[in-house]
Amino acid sequence: MKHNFGAGPCILPQEVFKEASQAIIEFNDTGLSILEISHRSKAFEAVIEETEALVRELLSVPAGYSILFLQGGASQQFAVVPMNLLPQTGKAAYLDSGTWASKAYKEAQKFGIVQVVASSKEANYTYVPKNFEIPADAAYFHYTSNNTIYGTELFETPKSPIPIVCDMSSDILSREITVSDYGLIYAGAQKNMGPAGVTLVIVKDDLLGKTGRDIPAIFDYRKHIEAKSLYNTPPVYAIYVSLLNLRWLKAKGGIVEIERENIIKARTLYDEIERNPLFKGTAAVEDRSRMNVTFVMENPELEKAFLTLAEERGFVGLKGHRSVGGFRASIYNALTITSINALVDAMQEFAEKNA
Amino acid sequence: MKHNFGAGPCILPQEVFKEASQAIIEFNDTGLSILEISHRSKAFEAVIEETEALVRELLSVPAGYSILFLQGGASQQFAVVPMNLLPQTGKAAYLDSGTWASKAYKEAQKFGIVQVVASSKEANYTYVPKNFEIPADAAYFHYTSNNTIYGTELFETPKSPIPIVCDMSSDILSREITVSDYGLIYAGAQKNMGPAGVTLVIVKDDLLGKTGRDIPAIFDYRKHIEAKSLYNTPPVYAIYVSLLNLRWLKAKGGIVEIERENIIKARTLYDEIERNPLFKGTAAVEDRSRMNVTFVMENPELEKAFLTLAEERGFVGLKGHRSVGGFRASIYNALTITSINALVDAMQEFAEKNA
């Protein structure tokens, strides 16, 4: 048995894989594979409508917000967000809390003035900056809610005098949020929503159409809203697997229940990191992520041996990102407490052997 | 049994579906689903490398051309091509041979001057314009090799004094081409290459970096070339299914063999349309597409009855696009001569009953 701690694309529920596999052979008694149905067919219309309805229900998305399924990942949104929200002569404010946050503001600089309100780069992004001031004259304030590489997460939405744009790629659907606190939320699906290849955008309609830019149609949120995410051929299968995953999430009790489980999973692992004399966390305690647990060894020379043990135990994706080193356990929604316990057991055994 | 004549996403070989379904449960003895493996894993690196190598082999892509697997479909390339190839103060030339060709030049107009060298719009795009002049002072000449909606195809590459950019979404891998005739070729995968969600780009490297534009990284072909299509998380599964489909194409004899079959399939159907007194083709005979066969009835009142018969026979996706009406049989690589014969039989029976 494998325990998939990969940072993304990542584990999804086994039930989802089973149904996703079946639909490749035959989708919903159509006599066709899901891969060969038209995106304009009634069968697929039903898929995209239910997917949207489930996102709306699970996240309590209020009226006045549109839900889109696009392509290109969060990296594409780094450019598409300023195209749609940053006036030609305007300014945007960004929080620099990690590699992706930094890529986001650098892409935005190609569209106008960017003010970085705070950065933790000098500390290798081990914490999330606080007590920064958001300029009231900027078009929007952008931040990354979970920093996948550094294992930090911002649980409290900053108070902001201007609309907030948030990259929630690695923690969306893992905990309760108040969508009305945001002007725009985007997320690559490949953590808690579905497989790689689709990007969720939730946008407040009345923020659009105010930049004075002549936006290419394919990058204009309004075109996608009008067309209900069918402006052009969407990533049919990635949306379908997201639907299966959202159904799974709803059936198990929705965000409230998954957040409860995620808190237990993260606490179990962080407790062991704190207790175990061989390991130590890399992120500031108050900013520790519930999705990506980053840790190293007090004695770095032992890290290779622990990775070998991890492989023997069927742990996948545990090696830390090169920017941090050591280990990163990504413990997304579909990862079970059984996998957490297996990791904790391995850490304890390793500590005993190397005491 | 279904006969899938859909225009795209469309039929792929049954063998491909079978293997594609299996990989969702377990991919290559990894103990993991293809949907949960990292795009940075060795297993996926091998996938993308083989996919690229097969495209290079099947289309004889010469040195000096890069092969990319991107997101966003051909519609995204309508904007990304001028970003990368049209200098700030430059001009591009476009041929207007259909709906998609027209969308392409309209998107390009947002980036500079566009000269439409010829258009068949006034004839509802029933033919491909010929004898146009391509201006030598434009940065590139763009055309659409197959017009999916109108059932026309341009088999001969126009002679051009400037680099040619071609949208081959609906006929790539269906017939032999000479890649060195082109500066850039792009294609949404969801016809002959794979499922929806990935876009093929073949680009001559030395055309890039000459526009003077500060291109967002995500839209800069050079960034994707440097990163070997792993600049950000790629659409893992869509690439994998494309690989399976390319392997199938190679095993059956490559482009030479599939072109031979496609010629027979198209001739069989066009012959029946010409022979049958109830039906008539809509495209100019010399421009008839081998991929999308458009036809109507001499008596439009009978069309509904034929569509009913088509449904009874398990024909899917035969209704014509609203811009043309009547019928459209999309007969891509994976559609067998058996399905063509079934359609011809139905047309003959219908003619006898309605004689």
Side-chain angles (χ1 to χ4, degrees):
Chain A
M1 189 200 166
K2 297 288 183 188
H3 301 281
N4 188 354
F5 293 99
C10 68
I11 190 169
L12 294 173
Q14 291 299 321
E15 304 92 296
V16 167
F17 292 144
K18 207 174 153 189
E19 209 172 337
S21 171
Q22 173 53 40
I24 301 283
I25 301 297
E26 180 167 4
F27 170 60
N28 275 7
D29 301 317
T30 54
L32 298 171
S33 165
I34 180 89
L35 299 182
E36 63 176 323
I37 65 165
S38 168
H39 60 294
R40 305 270 175 212
S41 63
K42 279 187 186 141
F44 186 68
E45 256 178 37
V47 166
I48 204 162
E49 278 172 16
E50 187 185 344
T51 313
E52 189 196 319
L54 276 173
V55 169
R56 196 171 285 280
E57 180 185 343
L58 288 164
L59 293 175
S60 305
V61 179
Y65 284 77
S66 292
I67 295 169
L68 298 174
F69 303 101
L70 304 177
Q71 290 186 67
S75 295
Q76 184 156 319
Q77 295 306 311
F78 297 167
V80 175
V81 162
M83 272 189 221
N84 280 273
L85 298 183
L86 181 53
Q88 294 268 22
T89 55
K91 180 173 88 172
Y94 278 71
L95 179 65
D96 179 24
S97 60
T99 301
W100 300 105
S102 153
K103 286 195 181 194
Y105 85 72
K106 281 172 189 158
E107 204 77 308
Q109 283 173 332
K110 303 205 168 112
F111 297 89
I113 297 162
V114 167
Q115 180 180 335
V116 176
V117 298
S119 172
S120 50
K121 190 179 180 185
E122 92 294 338
N124 199 33
Y125 297 121
T126 45
Y127 69 95
V128 179
K130 284 155 207 90
N131 304 319
F132 46 81
E133 204 170 323
I134 299 173
D137 62 341
Y140 62 86
F141 165 67
H142 178 284
Y143 78 101
T144 313
S145 55
N146 184 74
N147 300 288
T148 325
I149 292 176
Y150 302 93
T152 62
E153 190 168 4
L154 212 167
F155 294 98
E156 208 167 317
T157 312
K159 296 267 170 284
S160 172
I162 53 176
I164 298 179
V165 175
C166 188
D167 175 359
M168 290 194 190
S169 292
S170 53
D171 64 353
I172 196 154
L173 297 164
S174 75
R175 58 183 173 90
E176 288 196 90
I177 55 167
T178 305
V179 172
S180 58
D181 287 347
Y182 300 87
L184 190 149
I185 292 166
Y186 63 91
Q190 66 271 11
K191 318 285 183 184
N192 284 321
M193 192 174 96
V198 61
T199 310
L200 174 70
V201 173
I202 302 173
V203 58
K204 198 172 182 207
D205 300 326
D206 66 14
L207 294 179
L208 301 175
K210 295 179 173 170
T211 65
R213 292 180 197 273
D214 193 9
I215 309 168
I218 190 72
F219 302 129
D220 188 338
Y221 292 131
R222 291 169 303 174
K223 296 278 181 196
H224 292 284
I225 292 169
E226 275 166 35
K228 295 174 183 285
S229 295
L230 293 170
Y231 172 74
N232 65 332
T233 312
V236 170
Y237 189 67
I239 293 172
Y240 175 67
V241 179
S242 299
L243 168 61
L244 297 179
N245 194 53
L246 292 166
R247 281 184 188 158
W248 168 86
L249 183 53
K250 183 179 173 184
K252 81 177 293 142
I255 305 286
V256 171
E257 173 57 22
I258 206 76
E259 180 167 10
R260 196 187 64 79
E261 290 183 19
N262 285 334
I263 289 171
I264 294 171
K265 280 153 54 186
R267 194 167 51 206
T268 305
L269 186 49
Y270 283 119
D271 281 355
E272 177 59 24
I273 290 167
E274 287 193 356
R275 194 207 58 77
N276 195 310
L278 264 58
F279 297 91
K280 63 176 175 186
T282 63
V285 172
E286 68 276 18
D287 296 328
R288 287 191 310 205
S289 166
R290 272 184 215 148
M291 295 289 107
N292 311 96
V293 177
T294 50
F295 53 109
V296 294
M297 275 182 157
E298 297 282 357
N299 175 5
E301 287 177 11
L302 288 175
E303 289 184 351
K304 211 177 155 188
F306 186 69
L307 273 179
T308 305
L309 176 69
E311 267 182 48
E312 286 166 16
R313 297 284 165 97
F315 302 159
V316 175
L318 209 58
K319 196 171 192 298
H321 189 279
R322 61 185 146 62
S323 322
V324 179
F327 312 99
R328 173 175 55 177
S330 297
I331 57 174
Y332 298 119
N333 285 358
L335 188 103
T336 62
I337 188 77
T338 309
S339 292
I340 299 282
N341 289 337
L343 175 55
V344 167
D345 287 350
M347 291 165 75
Q348 292 180 353
E349 283 178 42
F350 193 80
E352 277 164 33
K353 271 189 205 153
N354 294 278
Chain B
M1 190 199 165
K2 296 290 183 188
H3 300 282
N4 189 353
F5 292 100
C10 68
I11 190 168
L12 294 172
Q14 291 299 320
E15 303 92 297
V16 167
F17 292 144
K18 208 174 152 188
E19 210 171 336
S21 171
Q22 173 53 40
I24 301 285
I25 301 297
E26 180 167 3
F27 171 61
N28 275 5
D29 302 317
T30 54
L32 297 172
S33 166
I34 181 87
L35 298 183
E36 64 176 324
I37 64 165
S38 167
H39 61 293
R40 306 270 175 211
S41 64
K42 278 186 187 143
F44 186 68
E45 257 178 38
V47 166
I48 204 162
E49 278 172 17
E50 187 185 344
T51 313
E52 188 196 320
L54 277 173
V55 169
R56 197 171 283 280
E57 180 185 343
L58 288 163
L59 293 174
S60 305
V61 180
Y65 284 78
S66 293
I67 295 169
L68 298 174
F69 303 101
L70 305 176
Q71 291 186 66
S75 296
Q76 184 156 320
Q77 294 306 311
F78 297 167
V80 175
V81 161
M83 272 189 219
N84 280 273
L85 298 183
L86 180 53
Q88 294 268 22
T89 56
K91 180 172 87 172
Y94 278 70
L95 179 65
D96 178 24
S97 60
T99 302
W100 300 106
S102 154
K103 286 196 180 192
Y105 84 72
K106 282 173 187 156
E107 204 77 306
Q109 283 173 333
K110 302 206 168 112
F111 297 90
I113 297 162
V114 167
Q115 179 179 337
V116 176
V117 298
S119 171
S120 50
K121 189 179 180 186
E122 91 295 338
N124 199 32
Y125 298 120
T126 45
Y127 70 94
V128 179
K130 285 154 206 90
N131 305 318
F132 47 80
E133 204 169 323
I134 299 172
D137 63 341
Y140 62 87
F141 166 67
H142 178 284
Y143 78 101
T144 312
S145 56
N146 184 73
N147 300 288
T148 325
I149 292 176
Y150 302 94
T152 63
E153 191 168 5
L154 212 169
F155 294 99
E156 208 167 314
T157 313
K159 297 268 169 283
S160 172
I162 53 176
I164 298 179
V165 175
C166 188
D167 175 359
M168 291 194 190
S169 293
S170 53
D171 65 352
I172 197 155
L173 297 163
S174 75
R175 59 183 172 90
E176 288 196 272
I177 55 167
T178 305
V179 171
S180 59
D181 288 348
Y182 300 88
L184 190 148
I185 292 167
Y186 63 90
Q190 66 272 14
K191 319 284 182 183
N192 285 321
M193 193 174 96
V198 61
T199 310
L200 174 70
V201 172
I202 303 173
V203 58
K204 197 171 182 209
D205 300 327
D206 66 13
L207 295 179
L208 301 175
K210 296 177 174 172
T211 65
R213 291 179 198 274
D214 193 8
I215 309 169
I218 190 72
F219 302 130
D220 188 339
Y221 292 131
R222 292 170 301 175
K223 295 279 181 197
H224 292 284
I225 292 169
E226 275 167 33
K228 295 173 183 287
S229 295
L230 293 170
Y231 172 74
N232 64 331
T233 311
V236 170
Y237 189 68
I239 293 173
Y240 175 67
V241 179
S242 299
L243 168 61
L244 297 178
N245 193 53
L246 292 165
R247 281 184 189 158
W248 168 85
L249 182 54
K250 183 180 173 183
K252 80 177 297 153
I255 305 286
V256 171
E257 173 58 21
I258 206 76
E259 180 166 11
R260 195 187 64 77
E261 290 182 19
N262 285 334
I263 289 171
I264 294 171
K265 279 154 53 185
R267 195 168 51 206
T268 305
L269 187 49
Y270 282 120
D271 281 355
E272 177 59 23
I273 291 167
E274 288 195 355
R275 196 207 57 76
N276 194 312
L278 264 57
F279 297 91
K280 63 176 176 187
T282 63
V285 172
E286 68 276 17
D287 296 329
R288 287 191 310 205
S289 165
R290 273 184 215 146
M291 294 289 107
N292 311 95
V293 178
T294 50
F295 53 109
V296 295
M297 276 183 159
E298 296 283 357
N299 175 3
E301 287 176 10
L302 288 174
E303 290 183 350
K304 209 175 157 190
F306 186 70
L307 273 179
T308 305
L309 176 69
E311 267 182 46
E312 285 166 16
R313 296 284 164 96
F315 303 160
V316 175
L318 209 58
K319 197 171 191 298
H321 189 278
R322 60 185 146 62
S323 323
V324 179
F327 313 100
R328 173 174 55 176
S330 297
I331 57 175
Y332 298 118
N333 285 358
L335 187 102
T336 62
I337 188 77
T338 309
S339 292
I340 299 282
N341 290 337
L343 175 55
V344 167
D345 287 349
M347 291 166 76
Q348 292 180 353
E349 282 178 42
F350 192 79
E352 275 164 36
K353 269 188 207 155
N354 295 276

